[in-house]
Each structure stands twice: as C-alpha cells, then as structure tokens.
Amino acid sequence: MAMGTDSEKRTAAQAASGPLVHEFGLLLKAATHLERRINAAMRAEAGIGHVMFEVLLRLCRDPEEQVSQRTLAEDVILTSGGVTRLVDRMETAGLVRRVPSPDDRRVTLVEATAEGEKTFVHAVDVHARIVERYFVAPVAPDDRRRLTASLDRITTALRDDDGPACRPEG
C-alpha cells in the first residue's frame, strides 16, 4: 500500500466508528438477539432449538420431497458431520427418521415423523409470537416491507456471488 493513503491516516478509533461498521453491527446485534430469544422460547416451550426448527421447516415445507442429509447440511449451513450428529439427536428424540433412497442406495434420506410435525407446528407458534413482538411490532409496516426486500436483495447478492470476499485491486 502506498504511503499517505486515507487508510493509513485514519486511526483505529476512527475506523471502528465508521458508519458501515456501525450499521452492520446493528444488523448483527438485532439478528443475534432475535435468534437467542427465539431459541430460548422454542427450547422452553417446544423442546427444540432453532437449528432443529430449521431442519423441521425444511422437511415439513414439502413432505413429498425427498431430502438427503447432504441437502440438509447445505440448507442449514452445517458440515456433513454436524448434520449427521444433529439428525442423530433428532432421530433419538423421535422427530425424524432416516430412510434409504429408493434411487441410490448410497444416499440416506431424512423425513419428519408425526411427532416431528406436531413439534414443528407448536414451535412455529412460538417462533411467530417472538418474531411478532421483536421484529414486527417495533417497525412500521412500510419500513418492514423495505427492510425485508433489502434483506432479500442482500441474500441474493451473497448467494449469487460465490467468489472470494471483495478486495481492492492493487
């Protein structure tokens, strides 16, 4: 980097106080606090955490769809080992079952059990109550529509750009 650039003149305190750092920090704090509230409420009231909820959501959205453990790992952003351990715990709890794929004997499919579906429906009610209180109620309807549209665009941009993090050329 050349001497005397704006980056070198800026202090660490100035960099830490930048608007982009602050705005992204607000997003992360809000998401983290909301996730913690949802997770705690679902554990207390439905007996499952948010990650199990995400798995059941994926499985219950289209019960006719065959979902492999690999697909679950990609959908809930876990390693193959992580999803295996999670499905083990969910199977022990009676929420899911593994079934062999009729098309490929190397593939194991996962499906929700009747108990898993019942648990999921209850957890959705808990989830909705917390989201309503902390995501919907504090934000004006028009602002929420803009916020969710913006979050969708951010997600699309991140999903569509599979390259490394943006770095300045030089």
Side-chain angles (χ1 to χ4, degrees), residues 76-107:
V76 296
I77 311 174
L78 289 173
T79 64
S80 62
V83 83
T84 297
R85 289 187 297 277
L86 178 63
V87 171
D88 286 346
R89 289 194 315 271
M90 293 179 76
E91 194 171 38
T92 299
L95 302 172
V96 301
R97 73 178 139 260
R98 289 179 169 104
V99 294
S101 170
D103 303 325
D104 186 344
R105 64 185 176 155
R106 298 169 296 174
V107 175

Side-chain angles (χ1 to χ4, degrees), residues 123-143:
V124 165
D125 293 339
V126 175
H127 184 276
R129 187 183 76 244
I130 301 301
V131 169
E132 175 67 37
R133 180 171 179 187
Y134 295 105
F135 182 75
V136 175
V139 180
D142 286 344
D143 290 342

Side-chain angles (χ1 to χ4, degrees), residues 9-28:
K9 293 178 188 175
R10 189 170 40 173
T11 66
Q14 290 167 327
S17 300
L20 294 178
V21 171
H22 174 72
E23 291 164 6
F24 187 69
L26 289 174
L27 175 65
L28 288 180

Side-chain angles (χ1 to χ4, degrees), residues 12-164:
Q14 290 167 327
S17 300
L20 294 178
V21 171
H22 174 72
E23 291 164 6
F24 187 69
L26 289 174
L27 175 65
L28 288 180
K29 284 179 191 174
T32 300
H33 286 296
L34 186 57
E35 165 73 20
R36 287 179 182 164
R37 292 282 173 119
I38 290 169
N39 195 47
M42 282 196 300
R43 283 187 185 284
E45 298 177 44
I48 63 171
H50 200 232
V51 177
M52 284 187 183
F53 174 82
E54 291 294 325
V55 168
L56 289 171
L57 172 64
R58 179 64 176 84
L59 297 175
C60 292
R61 184 174 286 137
D62 182 1
E64 299 303 313
E65 181 183 14
Q66 297 183 330
V67 181
S68 68
Q69 285 192 186
R70 171 182 245 164
T71 299
L72 280 177
E74 292 169 0
D75 289 348
V76 296
I77 311 174
L78 289 173
T79 64
S80 62
V83 83
T84 297
R85 289 187 297 277
L86 178 63
V87 171
D88 286 346
R89 289 194 315 271
M90 293 179 76
E91 194 171 38
T92 299
L95 302 172
V96 301
R97 73 178 139 260
R98 289 179 169 104
V99 294
S101 170
D103 303 325
D104 186 344
R105 64 185 176 155
R106 298 169 296 174
V107 175
T108 299
L109 303 175
V110 181
E111 61 186 23
T113 61
E115 182 63 26
E117 290 176 359
K118 179 179 158 189
T119 299
F120 174 70
V121 169
H122 180 60
V124 165
D125 293 339
V126 175
H127 184 276
R129 187 183 76 244
I130 301 301
V131 169
E132 175 67 37
R133 180 171 179 187
Y134 295 105
F135 182 75
V136 175
V139 180
D142 286 344
D143 290 342
R144 193 172 90 249
R145 278 189 285 282
R146 282 191 294 278
L147 173 61
T148 56
S150 295
L151 291 171
D152 187 50
R153 287 191 301 274
I154 291 167
T155 300
T156 299
L158 289 165
R159 185 184 58 237
D160 292 349
D161 182 7
D162 59 355

